[in-house]
Structure formats: C-alpha cells, structure tokens
Amino acid sequence: MPVEWAGSGPELLITIDRDGVPGLRAQLEDQLRAAIRGGRLAGDERLPSSRELARALGLSRGLVQDCYAQLRAEGYLTSRPGSATRVAAGAASHQDPAPAPRAPGRPRHAVADFRHGVPDLRLAPREDWAWAIREVCRTAPNTAFDYGDPLGDPRLRAVLAAYLRRVRATDATGDQVVVCTGMAQALGLALRALAADGIGTLAFEDPGAPASTIAQASAAGMAAEPVPVDEDGLDVAALARGGARAVLVTPAHQWPTGVVLAGHRRLELIAWARRHDGVILEDDYDAEFRYDRDPVGSLQGLAPDRVVSLGTVSKSLAPALRLGWLIAPDRLLDAVTRGKQVADRGSPGLDQLALATLIESGRYDRHLRRVRAEYAARREALVAALATHAPALRVTGLAAGFHAVLHLPPGADEAELVEEAARRGVGLYGMAGMCRTTPAQPRLVLGFGDTPRRAIEAGIAAVADLLRCRWSETAAVPRA
Amino acid sequence: MPVEWAGSGPELLITIDRDGVPGLRAQLEDQLRAAIRGGRLAGDERLPSSRELARALGLSRGLVQDCYAQLRAEGYLTSRPGSATRVAAGAASHQDPAPAPRAPGRPRHAVADFRHGVPDLRLAPREDWAWAIREVCRTAPNTAFDYGDPLGDPRLRAVLAAYLRRVRATDATGDQVVVCTGMAQALGLALRALAADGIGTLAFEDPGAPASTIAQASAAGMAAEPVPVDEDGLDVAALARGGARAVLVTPAHQWPTGVVLAGHRRLELIAWARRHDGVILEDDYDAEFRYDRDPVGSLQGLAPDRVVSLGTVSKSLAPALRLGWLIAPDRLLDAVTRGKQVADRGSPGLDQLALATLIESGRYDRHLRRVRAEYAARREALVAALATHAPALRVTGLAAGFHAVLHLPPGADEAELVEEAARRGVGLYGMAGMCRTTPAQPRLVLGFGDTPRRAIEAGIAAVADLLRCRWSETAAVPRA
C-alpha cells in the first residue's frame, strides 16, 4: 500500500509505494525533484525536518537524510548548519508563476483570485497518471495501439458505466457510453445529434451556460433560448412556455447559483420532456464534489430514454486530459456515433485505458477522497471568512463543487466592487456577467477551487470593508 | 545510450538504458514480462539462450540467467533441463490473437494478410511512450494540467514546425501548426474552414480517398469530385476542367498507386491554385517512410500560402495516440481555430508534451530508424517473393510506405483472384474497389505494413500459381 504525505498544505503530495519500483529512496528523491522542477515547491520554501518527513512517510530518518543530501548535491536544496532545509532559489526549471497567467491579459491578483471553472492544478495526480500509462504500455494487447472503436474503448465504456451507476445512480450500460475529447466535444456531438433529429432550439439556464455553449449550439445550427433559474433550479413552467424541445441543465449543482434541481422540478422536467418529445442534456460537471452528504443522483437514472448525461474528468483529475463522455438514449446513439466517427475517428486509446486502469485500481477514488477533503476545507475557510468579515451577507450554494454565491445588499454595484477589489489584489467576479436578463440582485460568484486556504482568508479580509459598510449606506441612492 | 535487441524478428524489441532507472535487470525483466503479457511473445515461443541475449544487449550472462530464473519463478517462462527457455503457455494475460480481428466480420487469413492502412502494432514504442509521459508528469509546470491553447501546446507546435522543416522541407512556424486528434480531425477542420471560405467542392484523387473522406466532405457541406491519377500523380489538366477550388492530394506517395507527384505536376498544381484562388490539401500520411532515398519534400514548402499540410503519428508511432496536425495558410487559420475551439477546446495536453519530449530527446528519430529498417526489409521480401513467384508481373509504387501495387495481366479478374486467395488463407485486395471509374487494368494493392516477412514469403508462394498462369491463358476470353 502506498503511503502518502500531504506536506503542510495540499501543495505537495508524496506517495511512497513500499512494493514499488524504483526503491524507496529513489521514489522520494524523484518526487521531490519533480515537485521542485514543476514549481510545486517554490524557491526558499522550507522542507520538513528529516525526522518529521520520515515519521509522516514511515521511512527511516537516515533514508530521508540521504535523500536530502543527494538533492543538496544536485543543487535542488540548500541548508545552512543548524537551520532548516529549503528549496534552492532558482531550482525550478519551469518557473510556475503564482497565480499563473492562464489567459493573456488577465490581471494578476496578488492577494487572492476567486476565479472559477478550474480545479487546483497543484493537486493534479501526476504520479497516478504516469503509473497508469505505464501499466497500459506494459500490459495492453497490441490491438490497443490500433485505431479503436470510435465510440471509445469497450473496457473504459464498461468501467465508466459501472462507476457512474455506483456514484451517480445512472442507468446505462457501456454500450450507451461514448468517450469524448472532454465535455466540450460531448456537448457538441449531442447538439449535432439533436439538430439531426429535427430539434432547432436549445434552452439553457439563466444564469448559466457560458458563451462557448451558445457558440456550440450555433455551430450545430441551433438557436439558444434562456430560461430563468430560481432557488429550486430551472423554472420548468417558463421552459414549457418557450418553444424549445431540448434543454441543457446542471441538476446536481446549478452553475453558477449553486442550487440543486429540486425533486418536484425533476419530475416536472421529465414530464415536460415526455409531453413535448423533448431531450434533457444533463451537465454533471462537478457531481463528485459534494461535501455535506452524498450527491443527488443523476437525472439520467430517472429517465434514461429522455436524458443525455455529460461528464468529464476535468474537475476530478485535470482539464488537460481532455477525457469526457456522454450517455445517450438509443434514439440519439446512431447520430452521435456518426458524428464521432467523422469528427476524429475516436479519442486517444491509451489515455482511455489509463483512465479505466485508474478507476479499476481504486486510485481514482483515492485521489478523489484526497482532493475532496481539501476542497471541503477551502469551502469551510471561505464560509468562515465571510462570517467573520461580512456577517450580514447571505452565502448560498450547496456545500459542493468549487464556488459559492455571496448576496450583496440591494443597490450594491457589482462592477465597482470588482474593480476596487482588483486594485487591492483580490479577484472577484460578479453574477451579472453570467445573466442574460438583468438580475434582481447583485451577487458575487466566489470560486475557491484554485484558491488556497490562506489566500481565501487573506482575500476576504482584504475586501472586508467593501463588503461590510459601503453598500448599505449607498443602497438607497440611485446611481447616475 | 540505450542498447536494443530486436530478437529474431521484429516482434520483440528490448531496450536497455545503462543510465536508466530502474537497474539493468529490472529493465530486462519488466520488458520481457510486458512482452509476454501483451502477447508479443507468444506461449511456447523459444527465447534466445542467456548467452546470446547477454551478448546482444551487452549484459553479463549471469544477469540474464537471474532474470530468466525470476520469470520462471513467476510462471512467465518454462524450461526443461538441457532445452531452451520458452514462454509459458497461457502466460499472456491478454490473449492477442494473430492476426487480430480488427473489424468484426473480417475473415481471418491464416497464411498472410496483405491488408493496408495499418502499421505493425507489434512495433509500437511502448517503452518510449511510457517514458515520455512519465517525464511530462515529473517535470511539466502545473499549468500543463489546465485547459491549454485550443490550437495545441505552444512547445509541441514549435517542435513540430522545426521537425517538419527538417524532414519535410515545410515552410511554417509553430503559429501555423494546429494539433488535432489524428489526421481525421485535421482534415475535417480544414474542410470546414474551406466551406466557410466559400469553397463548395473538394476534388480528390481517383483511385484514392476512402469513403470516410467523402463522408467528411459531405459533413462539411461540400460536394466531392474525383480526378484521375496517372503515373505522374494527379492529372492537373483534368482538375482544371472541373469546377473544384480545393483538392486533396497525396504528393509524396500517392495512395494507393504508390507514385510520386512529378515535379512538373507540382508546379502545374500550384499554378492552378493561384489561378483559381484554390487550396491544395496535402495528405502527408506516410512521408517518413521512404527506403531508397530521402523523401520528396512537402508541397507546402513550395506554396505555403496555397497548401494545407496534414500529418499524423499514426504510422510512425501508433494510431491509438490520435495525434495529428495541420499547417494552414493565414487565410484559413482563423476558421480552423474557431472550429477546433468549438469541436473540443483542444487536444489532450500531456500527450502533446509527450510527443514534443520524444522528438526533442531523439527517441522519435531513433524509433523511426528502427521501424523503417524493418519495413524496408518487408518491402524487399515482397519484391523478392514476387520476382520468384510472378516474374512476369510488374510491381509499381515507390520504395516507400506500406504498400506496393501488382499489375495483373489484362483480363484478369481481381475479385475472383481475391476470393480464391482467401480460400487459401491469403488476404489480397484489388484496386478496383478504390476506383470511382472502372480502371483500365486489374491491379492488387499489397500492404506489407502489418505482414511479417515470413508471412509475406509464404503468402505470395501460396498464390503463386494464381499469379503465374491462370490469367494469361484466359486473358483473351471475354467473361460472361
């Protein structure tokens, strides 16, 4: 059994496998070296003492001392007599600026960035993925290197079907699972299949679907029409008043309001689909991340004939893997199949087998438990910081996923607040930009997926006065 | 420097890296175990003596003996006193039937299968790929695990541009390279960009483009129109008589006739494109595989403003990797970019970095040299077998790629020959099925990419009488 050490924070995970190859010292050395090179251990960062690390990993202290000595000799670590071992400044071969400038022109937020939509890349399961690919390369039959089934490797499809049945209560066999290049492709294939089936309009949640979703609908030749969301999720009565025969929803954890689609709404939505010969697209984007209880089961399990379920490992493992899937009812499966065949003749085969291997080996679940604990702690830190610094404001959204919603007082100016926070080095994001119709109420969407706990606390503290007093005073004054 | 052993045939490649981790014995053991599990070493297959293998790999005999003993203890190998060490029957965890039934319903050809379009999957660089992914997971910055540039990782795009400039004489920077999910997606994106640019018809080579290409044109909303190929490649005058403003060609090694697009035709084709504001799609599918001389440079290098070049690692590494690319002129790049973004938001990032790592490390070139030598030997074996068994028949096609063309006597019946060969356990494939217009002459397309040398010789010998006498007697007799 591997033994793990999560360091002082979540940033560094060392996994020692006693039965593994290479030996224990090489495992430790390799992982420390990789962490320094990759920037997960920053220059001048203090390492635990050899005694502490040895105890945490169940290794001998001498082994850890040897390892530290080796890495000092190689220039990765430094230490002065009597003081702690530290990462050598400039040892990272790839500087990994924090926060990373993901999009050109994005301003940096020195104190904290509450952006959303990305998990913490420092938690990406580097070792697990390398291990899984190695296993596949060692053991897969030669045919695994050929063009595969365009719908996906049969083994992964069966593994996913079983996994989703277990954790999401879906109702599908592997035959209905199509492996895609991320959820983006899954949604695109589903939309083209709907268009081919004669469905011309996609309804989407408001606030909700980003511009890229509307662009995908348009590329499939479909119009897109917003439907309001309230505290029970999508307003099904409003949907029924529109003309759409397909709707894209996020039932487990509505993006971005964070509500769950209520039970009665689920039944209404399915009844709507049956009545109008409609199709429900279920975006199950962060369903593995519920912190207070088991997540609400998939809508697909209630109406497998009416629901296309879309999933991804972008949040659970890493977006770069580009592994997603859809589960389609039989009536759409042929069109999806043709679409996938024409699009790219199938997704990469070894990556698919690696994901199957991760799930089957239990490493996927273990990784999820590890990162889920960290994200839960971040959410608690956020809620606690808001209770301290903005006790009058309401926080909504399930204890789930990677974001919460902060309700500002009526009359507060989202845009001005966001601007002032940015001047203080804090990245905040208003809800208004995600709404098609002017929202009744100013709100902030606070992402915590890529925001370490200390930054969460520091960030909220830095804007505390903005959240506390400013708006209640000006609330009644109309702005010019 | 790694030392390699290719076994008695190409089926087993052992690579020992003296500076590598784990140690020499573990490397040898791991690779033998993987070869047995994966079926590359079949049950009851004889291994070389420890003395032979030690010499071939530059290892001590004791080390090889220890390794054999270990694998005997684990049940992978057997030996009786005084006789050779053999693979234990039933040791393969994944049985890999030979020949593998790739498509359901495909008949098996017990003696030899001259099918085309696939490389030998037994030569897939398993160890190299696992190594490259491990390197990426160890050293890549955290941002490598995020959504990437939808056009592809900038490092891979630069590496590919430099590589293609060196080996294919292309004229492009990384900015013009778009990384795709195999060549299938590259072609699809290019066709959609052409359609968006107002081009409604794609001309294609006859014989040539498979049905899937026509389907891709159709999915992009384009008509498709065949243009004849002669011994100098595409008939540009015939192309000019048609109405198409885009044409898909295989200039380096025409599929399936095996001719090169002659120099004067290249200039005519480019002149055609300039005159008609047309675009040339260059399918560079097996350009790395020329056995007699350096391959003819890419058409793209001659007219970067008029040519979209399409490439893939499906032949050089493995189809399952689904890594392809296109190089596009500036006028199409925006449309391709939008198309790729909507299609899947970018190809898998770690795989892209792994390919960049393979190329930069020299392992890609080394692998190519290794497999190129094997394919060259197969082509020689095919030519020699035909010279022996069918000396009167003409063999055409460059000393390149994975197929040659055998010209049958006038009046020969391709279909009947193919049927009779199948009854004898030999898979042959006629040219007629690849032609849109009735060909003047019966021909066979003999693929040797996935046909071991011994099978090539046995297969041609088994149909020798069919090739020799049968048709010359009946040539003058019209068939009912």
Side-chain angles (χ1 to χ4, degrees):
Chain A
M1 275 295 292
V3 177
E4 289 155 13
W5 174 66
S8 51
E11 286 71 19
L12 178 66
L13 287 162
I14 298 270
T15 308
I16 298 292
D17 184 351
R18 304 196 157 276
D19 309 318
V21 173
L24 301 179
R25 184 177 138 188
Q27 290 182 40
L28 180 57
E29 254 177 57
D30 286 356
Q31 292 181 52
L32 285 173
R33 217 183 266 113
I36 294 168
R37 281 195 192 133
R40 279 170 293 150
L41 276 172
D44 212 44
E45 191 157 327
R46 182 188 163 284
L47 286 193
S49 71
S50 56
R51 190 191 304 272
E52 287 166 5
L53 188 54
R55 197 171 41 225
L57 292 173
L59 299 173
S60 80
R61 188 176 170 199
L63 186 151
V64 177
Q65 284 173 329
D66 287 353
C67 167
Y68 279 10
Q70 175 68 31
L71 295 177
R72 272 198 303 273
E74 295 179 10
Y76 287 93
L77 298 179
T78 58
S79 69
R80 269 175 247 108
S83 78
T85 300
R86 290 177 183 278
V87 175
S93 63
H94 299 271
Q95 295 297 340
D96 192 19
R102 260 86 182 217
R106 176 190 294 282
R108 290 197 179 195
H109 301 288
V111 178
D113 191 352
F114 291 95
R115 75 198 186 99
H116 41 75
V118 279
D120 190 336
L121 303 171
R122 285 164 290 201
L123 301 177
R126 292 168 178 255
E127 290 81 9
D128 282 344
W129 190 253
W131 170 82
I133 289 285
R134 176 150 193 91
E135 282 302 297
V136 170
C137 286
R138 284 161 62 104
T139 62
N142 287 324
T143 47
F145 291 81
D146 201 352
Y147 295 100
D149 185 330
L151 296 189
D153 183 87
R155 184 174 140 217
L156 176 61
R157 294 164 71 200
V159 165
L160 278 176
Y163 173 79
L164 295 169
R165 181 180 292 271
R166 173 165 64 84
V167 304
R168 300 295 303 128
T170 55
D171 179 8
T173 67
D175 293 340
Q176 291 160 268
V177 176
V178 180
V179 182
C180 298
T181 307
M183 192 184 284
Q185 188 183 46
L187 177 59
L189 292 174
L191 292 175
R192 284 177 196 276
L194 292 176
D197 204 39
I199 296 185
T201 301
L202 174 72
F204 62 91
E205 296 171 325
D206 181 21
S212 60
T213 299
I214 315 299
Q216 283 194 294
S218 163
M222 293 173 86
E225 144 186 321
V227 174
V229 166
D230 61 26
E231 61 279 3
D232 282 341
L234 185 89
D235 180 343
V236 179
L239 170 66
R241 285 194 296 273
R245 272 178 53 223
V247 62
L248 175 62
V249 286
T250 48
H253 185 219
Q254 205 272 330
W255 167 256
T257 65
V259 302
V260 70
L261 186 65
H264 65 97
R265 286 279 175 84
R266 289 174 182 243
L267 299 178
E268 288 166 29
L269 186 58
I270 292 166
W272 164 86
R274 298 208 194 287
R275 207 163 49 237
H276 293 87
D277 191 22
V279 175
I280 303 161
L281 301 174
E282 172 178 40
D283 176 350
D284 218 22
Y285 69 109
D286 66 359
E288 282 102 338
F289 295 92
R290 177 95 191 221
Y291 311 123
D292 52 347
R293 44 159 285 179
D294 283 342
V296 175
S298 150
L299 204 58
Q300 191 274 347
L302 286 177
D305 58 324
R306 290 288 157 192
V307 178
V308 177
S309 189
L310 309 164
T312 173
V313 302
S314 290
K315 304 295 182 285
S316 58
L317 296 176
L321 297 178
R322 310 304 302 119
L323 277 165
W325 56 84
L326 64 80
I327 297 175
D330 289 339
R331 66 184 274 201
L332 295 173
L333 212 47
D334 275 355
V336 169
T337 303
R338 281 193 305 276
K340 179 66 180 164
Q341 168 78 39
V342 165
D344 57 19
R345 211 172 161 176
S347 289
L350 304 186
D351 295 352
Q352 294 185 54
L353 288 174
L355 177 57
T357 301
L358 280 186
I359 296 175
E360 287 180 324
S361 67
R363 286 187 185 227
Y364 186 79
D365 277 342
R366 197 185 314 146
H367 173 74
L368 270 180
R369 279 197 299 276
R370 196 158 57 187
V371 296
R372 197 186 284 125
E374 173 56 29
Y375 291 125
R378 290 183 189 186
R379 187 175 189 281
E380 275 173 32
L382 177 63
V383 170
L386 290 170
T388 301
H389 297 292
L393 300 188
R394 199 157 63 98
V395 181
T396 59
L398 300 178
F402 308 98
H403 74 278
V405 174
L406 183 67
H407 295 249
L408 300 173
D413 187 315
E414 271 180 35
E416 193 178 305
L417 175 56
V418 165
E419 256 177 54
E420 174 58 25
R423 276 192 288 273
R424 301 180 185 194
V426 178
L428 295 180
Y429 302 88
M431 177 80 82
M434 306 166 194
C435 297
R436 266 70 190 181
T437 48
T438 309
Q441 216 202 32
R443 282 166 291 180
L444 295 178
V445 179
L446 295 169
F448 53 81
D450 195 28
T451 321
R453 270 177 271 175
R454 271 171 303 199
I456 289 172
E457 286 145 15
I460 297 298
V463 295
D465 60 312
L466 301 180
L467 299 174
R468 249 202 313 250
C469 43
R470 197 178 167 83
W471 308 110
S472 46
E473 290 162 17
T474 60
V477 184
R479 296 182 62 80
Chain B
M1 277 292 294
V3 176
E4 289 156 12
W5 173 66
S8 51
E11 286 73 18
L12 179 64
L13 286 163
I14 298 270
T15 307
I16 298 292
D17 183 352
R18 301 193 161 277
D19 309 318
V21 173
L24 302 178
R25 184 178 139 188
Q27 289 182 40
L28 180 57
E29 255 177 55
D30 286 356
Q31 292 181 52
L32 285 173
R33 217 182 268 115
I36 294 168
R37 282 196 193 134
R40 280 170 294 150
L41 277 172
D44 212 42
E45 191 158 328
R46 183 189 164 281
L47 286 192
S49 72
S50 55
R51 189 190 305 273
E52 287 166 4
L53 187 54
R55 198 170 40 224
L57 292 174
L59 299 173
S60 80
R61 188 175 171 200
L63 184 151
V64 178
Q65 284 174 329
D66 286 353
C67 166
Y68 279 11
Q70 175 69 31
L71 295 176
R72 274 199 302 276
E74 295 179 9
Y76 287 93
L77 298 179
T78 58
S79 69
R80 270 174 246 107
S83 79
T85 299
R86 289 176 184 279
V87 176
S93 63
H94 299 271
Q95 294 297 339
D96 191 18
R102 259 89 182 217
R106 176 191 294 281
R108 290 199 179 194
H109 301 287
V111 178
D113 191 353
F114 291 95
R115 75 196 186 100
H116 41 75
V118 278
D120 190 335
L121 303 171
R122 285 165 290 201
L123 302 178
R126 292 168 178 254
E127 290 80 10
D128 282 344
W129 190 253
W131 171 82
I133 290 284
R134 178 150 192 89
E135 283 301 297
V136 170
C137 286
R138 284 161 60 105
T139 63
N142 288 325
T143 48
F145 291 80
D146 201 352
Y147 295 100
D149 185 330
L151 297 189
D153 183 87
R155 184 175 140 214
L156 176 61
R157 294 164 71 200
V159 165
L160 278 175
Y163 173 80
L164 295 169
R165 181 179 292 271
R166 173 165 64 84
V167 304
R168 300 295 303 129
T170 54
D171 179 7
T173 65
D175 293 339
Q176 291 160 269
V177 176
V178 181
V179 181
C180 297
T181 307
M183 191 184 285
Q185 188 183 45
L187 177 60
L189 292 175
L191 292 175
R192 283 178 196 275
L194 292 175
D197 204 39
I199 296 185
T201 303
L202 174 72
F204 63 91
E205 296 172 324
D206 181 21
S212 60
T213 300
I214 315 300
Q216 283 193 294
S218 162
M222 294 174 87
E225 141 186 324
V227 174
V229 167
D230 61 27
E231 60 279 4
D232 282 341
L234 185 89
D235 181 344
V236 179
L239 170 67
R241 286 193 297 272
R245 273 177 53 223
V247 61
L248 176 63
V249 287
T250 49
H253 185 220
Q254 205 273 329
W255 168 257
T257 65
V259 302
V260 70
L261 187 65
H264 65 96
R265 286 279 174 83
R266 288 174 183 244
L267 299 178
E268 288 166 29
L269 186 58
I270 291 167
W272 164 87
R274 298 207 194 288
R275 208 162 48 238
H276 293 86
D277 191 22
V279 176
I280 303 161
L281 301 174
E282 173 178 41
D283 177 351
D284 218 23
Y285 69 111
D286 66 0
E288 282 102 337
F289 294 93
R290 177 95 191 221
Y291 311 124
D292 52 348
R293 45 158 285 179
D294 283 342
V296 176
S298 151
L299 204 58
Q300 191 273 346
L302 287 177
D305 58 325
R306 289 288 157 192
V307 178
V308 178
S309 189
L310 309 164
T312 173
V313 302
S314 290
K315 304 296 182 283
S316 57
L317 296 176
L321 297 179
R322 311 305 301 119
L323 276 166
W325 56 84
L326 64 79
I327 296 175
D330 288 339
R331 67 184 273 200
L332 295 173
L333 211 48
D334 275 354
V336 169
T337 303
R338 280 193 305 275
K340 178 65 179 166
Q341 168 79 38
V342 165
D344 56 20
R345 209 172 163 175
S347 288
L350 305 186
D351 295 352
Q352 295 185 54
L353 288 174
L355 177 57
T357 302
L358 280 186
I359 296 175
E360 288 181 323
S361 67
R363 286 187 186 228
Y364 187 78
D365 278 341
R366 198 185 312 147
H367 173 74
L368 270 180
R369 281 198 298 277
R370 194 158 61 186
V371 296
R372 198 187 282 123
E374 173 56 29
Y375 291 125
R378 289 183 189 186
R379 188 175 188 280
E380 276 173 32
L382 176 64
V383 170
L386 290 170
T388 302
H389 296 293
L393 299 188
R394 199 157 63 100
V395 181
T396 60
L398 301 177
F402 308 98
H403 73 279
V405 174
L406 183 68
H407 295 249
L408 300 173
D413 186 315
E414 271 180 34
E416 195 176 303
L417 175 55
V418 166
E419 256 177 51
E420 175 57 26
R423 276 191 288 273
R424 300 179 185 195
V426 178
L428 295 179
Y429 302 87
M431 177 80 83
M434 305 166 196
C435 297
R436 267 69 190 182
T437 49
T438 310
Q441 216 202 32
R443 282 166 292 181
L444 295 178
V445 179
L446 295 169
F448 53 82
D450 195 28
T451 322
R453 272 177 269 175
R454 272 170 302 199
I456 289 172
E457 286 144 16
I460 297 298
V463 296
D465 60 311
L466 301 179
L467 298 175
R468 249 201 314 249
C469 43
R470 197 179 166 83
W471 309 109
S472 46
E473 290 163 15
T474 60
V477 184
R479 298 181 60 81

